[in-house]
């Protein structure tokens, strides 16, 4: 929603939750090789997650992927997703039912996002 108010459009969005190593030496940096142009929601996630899912520390996405990853463009869509996360956790039970890594994997998979690990 806020991006629509800007005088330019982003082609890719890099989200870092905290310090993390993402690109190996052999992988071209996005400055040299831009994010692939696609209308399909696309998200690149860190392959190193000790919790058996996608890491929740770093994401590289196109705008369509970021819209799915960050739960739409309104306060209501954000509330709806938080409710879905909590509902899933309560039904799932056991271990850590509100594990963010598992939720992100579930959310992206159920929204036809093209997911790549690096």
């Amino acid at each position: 929603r806020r991006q629509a108010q800007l005088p330019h459009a982003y082609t890719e969005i890099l989200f870092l939750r905290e310090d993390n190593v993402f690109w190996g030496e052999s992988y071209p940096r996005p400055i040299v090789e831009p994010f692939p142009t696609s209308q399909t929601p696309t998200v690149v996630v860190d392959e190193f997650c000790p919790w058996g899912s996608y890491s929740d520390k770093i994401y590289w996405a196109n705008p369509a992927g970021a819209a799915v990853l960050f739960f739409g463009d309104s306060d209501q869509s954000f509330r709806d997703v938080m409710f879905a996360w909590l509902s899933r956790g309560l039904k799932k039970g056991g271990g850590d039912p509100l594990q963010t890594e598992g939720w992100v994997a579930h959310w992206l998979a159920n929204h036809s996002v093209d997911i790549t690990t690096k």
Side-chain angles (χ1 to χ4, degrees):
R1 176 173 62 171
R2 291 189 176 107
Q3 182 177 330
Q5 299 168 354
L6 297 173
H8 56 277
Y10 288 101
T11 57
E12 58 200 72
I13 296 140
L14 178 64
F15 170 83
L16 303 166
R17 194 185 93 184
E18 58 189 51
D19 291 342
N20 199 353
V21 176
F22 188 64
W23 286 285
E25 287 300 316
S26 64
Y27 187 74
R29 301 305 192 259
I31 294 170
V32 176
E33 188 172 312
F35 197 86
T37 304
S38 174
Q39 298 301 315
T40 302
T42 304
V43 177
V44 180
V45 297
D46 187 355
E47 67 185 26
F48 300 106
C49 177
W51 309 113
S53 192
Y54 300 133
S55 173
D56 65 351
K57 295 180 182 4
I58 185 166
Y59 306 103
W60 186 29
N62 67 359
V68 173
L69 183 64
F70 299 116
F71 316 130
D73 62 357
S74 71
D75 292 340
Q76 184 60 50
S77 63
F78 178 77
R79 285 190 293 272
D80 291 345
V81 172
M82 293 297 100
F83 180 77
W85 178 29
L86 180 59
S87 295
R88 179 178 178 263
L90 291 173
K91 289 176 190 170
K92 184 178 174 187
D96 184 0
L98 296 177
Q99 180 198 44
T100 55
E101 297 87 353
W103 169 252
V104 169
H106 168 79
W107 184 254
L108 295 178
N110 285 295
H111 286 83
S112 303
V113 175
D114 181 12
I115 304 164
T116 303
T117 57
K118 294 283 183 193

